[in-house]
Amino acid sequence: DQQVKQNSPSLSVQEGRISILNCDYTNSMFDYFLWYKKYPAEGPTFLISISSIKDKNEDGRFTVFLNKSAKHLSLHIVPSQPGDSAVYFCAASTGNQFYFGTGTSLTVIP
Amino acid sequence: EAGVAQSPRYKIIEKRQSVAFWCNPISGHATLYWYQQILGQGPKLLIQFQNNGVVDDSQLPKDRFSAERLKGVDSTLKIQPAKLEDSAVYLCASMGINTEAFFGQGTRLTVV
């Protein structure tokens, strides 16, 4: 039972444009959401998070939007850079338990 | 601040052999996780420790997998005997109070 879903396995974006990565979840008890970035042969690294009491959190070029009624969150990267090319995992948590999506592989084309 | 350390980085074993992975979490982090990530999938939780106690091991295949965190710091994950479908990256993560989870680089296991 996949509680966190990333329906786009891959995404290609031109450098300088906006990258939008989407994530859907099913459990309304999730109260904290995170995005992790993973380069090949490395572990996932934390990128940005949002609490369920907010609908937007911004950190530099990265913004996460949360739509609780739709159980949907998205990560916006503006402007996209070639170094952003990686696999992005969405994660949702309740308490100390984390559930991950299957990841979206982002390729930023120079 | 030192990150989560895992060893070995890579391991190749034959099916039915046993293997052990080691994780040293970030100092002071009480929560430790072991995840299994099969190629093309997201990390799947195997076991979660709070200090040296198990919080959740519902997805751990207990007939072949075992994990311990005896002193509430380092942890080991063991597979015995290994199957071909155990080929995956095994990720260890730790989390402190009011922090996100930090991941190690993972151990890539190949069972042949």
Side-chain angles (χ1 to χ4, degrees), chain A residues 20-95:
Chain A
I20 300 177
L21 295 93
N22 294 303
C23 178
D24 297 293
Y25 61 95
T26 57
N27 189 344
S28 58
M29 297 300 291
F30 289 141
D31 56 8
Y32 193 60
F33 304 88
L34 311 92
W35 285 93
Y36 280 83
K37 178 179 179 180
K38 186 180 183 305
Y39 292 116
E42 295 184 14
T45 56
F46 171 75
L47 188 58
I48 192 170
S49 63
I50 188 168
S51 164
S52 61
I53 63 173
K54 295 186 174 182
D55 54 19
K56 177 182 175 182
N57 188 26
E58 190 173 352
D59 183 3
R61 297 185 297 112
F62 303 91
T63 303
V64 56
F65 294 92
L66 176 63
N67 182 335
K68 289 189 290 295
S69 60
K71 295 191 179 67
H72 177 84
L73 68 157
S74 61
L75 174 67
H76 292 208
I77 307 173
V78 182
S80 301
Q81 300 173 354
D84 296 330
S85 296
V87 177
Y88 289 79
F89 290 99
C90 165
S93 78
T94 172

Side-chain angles (χ1 to χ4, degrees), chain A residues 2 32 34 36 38 41-46 89 95-103, chain B residues 9-10 31 33 35 37 40-43 48 50 55-56 91 95 100-101 103-105:
Chain A
Q2 193 74 26
Y32 193 60
L34 311 92
Y36 280 83
K38 186 180 183 305
E42 295 184 14
T45 56
F46 171 75
F89 290 99
N96 284 350
Q97 300 195 334
F98 293 84
Y99 299 85
F100 286 84
T102 52
Chain B
R9 287 295 312 277
Y10 305 93
T31 306
Y33 308 87
Y35 285 89
Q37 186 179 6
Q41 299 182 18
Q48 177 186 343
Q50 185 72 18
V55 173
D56 182 358
L91 294 163
M95 189 171 74
E100 66 278 0
F103 284 83
Q105 290 184 298

Side-chain angles (χ1 to χ4, degrees), chain B:
Chain B
E1 176 182 82
V4 177
Q6 287 188 249
S7 68
R9 287 295 312 277
Y10 305 93
K11 189 74 177 179
I12 301 174
I13 62 172
E14 294 183 350
K15 60 183 179 184
R16 292 188 287 275
Q17 284 188 321
S18 62
V19 64
F21 313 130
W22 174 81
C23 173
N24 185 9
I26 292 173
S27 177
H29 281 191
T31 306
L32 185 147
Y33 308 87
W34 281 103
Y35 285 89
Q36 179 194 58
Q37 186 179 6
I38 293 173
L39 187 65
Q41 299 182 18
K44 183 187 87 169
L45 179 68
L46 292 175
I47 190 167
Q48 177 186 343
F49 291 96
Q50 185 72 18
N51 296 308
N52 61 350
V54 175
V55 173
D56 182 358
D57 64 356
S58 57
Q59 297 193 81
L60 187 74
K62 298 180 187 63
D63 58 334
R64 299 184 300 107
F65 286 64
S66 64
E68 58 183 15
R69 194 185 183 199
L70 292 176
K71 297 182 179 179
V73 181
D74 293 7
S75 177
T76 55
L77 176 69
K78 296 179 181 177
I79 308 175
Q80 182 180 10
K83 292 186 176 181
L84 296 176
E85 58 261 35
D86 298 331
S87 295
V89 174
Y90 290 84
L91 294 163
C92 177
S94 71
M95 189 171 74
I97 298 173
N98 296 325
T99 75
E100 66 278 0
F102 291 85
F103 284 83
Q105 290 184 298
T107 297
R108 180 174 295 278
L109 173 68
T110 302
V111 182
V112 297

